[in-house]
Amino acid sequence: MDDMNDDELTAEDAMIAEGAPPEPNPEEEDRTAALEAELADAKQAALYAQAEMQNVRRRLEKDAADARAYGATNFARDVLSVADNLSRALDAIPPALREDEKLKGLVTGLEATGRELDAVFQRNGITRIPAVGEKLDPNRHQAMLEVPSDDAEPGTIVQEMQAGYMLRDRLLRPAMVGVAKAGMTA
């Protein structure tokens, strides 16, 4: 560059020497704008991907928690029929047979089995739905019949045909009930 004299300086070199900024190159400006737009798009895509991963992680955590809490739902429903049959068996024993010395051990064993089954239900979050005396709740009770009643307010459960159960906060089986309706006055 030492061989160059002042006449040979380009216009850009002269502007730089005078302290003026070089003239913008439209091609470089377009390329810079395109790169900036591409960078903004990449940042946006990264944010979306990060948010989506967070949502997927939350869904998986919820699904895993639900599987732990409610995974035994079908098994629990099946065991309810065992509880129903045991309850029916205990209810069918007349008081005279309960006092018979020959059957007292059998009755005591059946009652102990019923208590143990109730304890297992409680440990696993299975609770019985209150019915008789409650107002009919279609989310927890299934009305099977209406019973004329002067004593109970219409819509009140007066009879339970089959116990209903909840598994934590979910309905396992509705209680099958008889509901009071306005009594017949003659």
Side-chain angles (χ1 to χ4, degrees):
M1 200 150 174
D2 291 334
D3 295 340
M4 254 195 220
N5 57 27
D6 287 337
D7 294 342
E8 295 177 1
L9 290 177
T10 63
E12 188 175 320
D13 292 335
M15 291 173 86
I16 293 173
E18 293 175 9
E23 285 191 30
N25 183 344
E27 199 173 284
E28 280 185 29
E29 282 182 2
D30 290 346
R31 179 167 159 70
T32 302
L35 288 173
E36 286 176 353
E38 195 175 312
L39 178 62
D41 289 346
K43 284 181 180 178
Q44 191 67 30
L47 286 174
Y48 282 133
Q50 186 178 19
E52 183 61 26
M53 287 301 296
Q54 212 169 26
N55 289 339
V56 167
R57 190 185 84 249
R58 284 188 190 130
R59 273 193 300 270
L60 288 175
E61 287 171 356
K62 183 185 182 315
D63 289 348
D66 284 351
R68 281 189 300 274
Y70 305 109
T73 298
N74 290 334
F75 177 74
R77 282 191 182 114
D78 290 343
V79 173
L80 290 180
S81 66
V82 174
D84 292 339
N85 289 332
L86 180 60
S87 178
R88 283 196 267 302
L90 284 168
D91 291 343
I93 300 172
L97 288 180
R98 287 179 184 271
E99 299 304 319
D100 186 340
E101 287 301 318
K102 292 178 187 173
L103 296 177
K104 206 168 204 172
L106 176 65
V107 172
T108 302
L110 288 173
E111 289 171 342
T113 302
R115 286 190 301 273
E116 180 62 23
L117 191 57
D118 288 342
V120 168
F121 282 175
Q122 187 176 22
R123 280 194 306 269
N124 288 282
I126 299 172
T127 55
R128 189 173 176 149
I129 296 172
V132 176
E134 300 284 321
K135 279 291 202 184
L136 179 71
D137 178 356
N139 296 314
R140 301 179 331 147
H141 306 117
Q142 182 175 347
M144 301 303 290
L145 55 98
E146 286 187 314
V147 179
S149 174
D150 291 327
D151 299 331
E153 186 177 319
T156 302
I157 298 170
V158 293
Q159 182 182 2
E160 181 180 62
M161 277 82 87
Q162 185 179 49
Y165 290 90
M166 300 286 290
L167 176 58
R168 291 175 181 70
D169 60 344
R170 289 188 182 174
L171 182 67
L172 197 54
R173 179 178 79 186
M176 293 185 185
V177 298
V179 180
K181 69 177 183 177
M184 301 208 170
T185 55

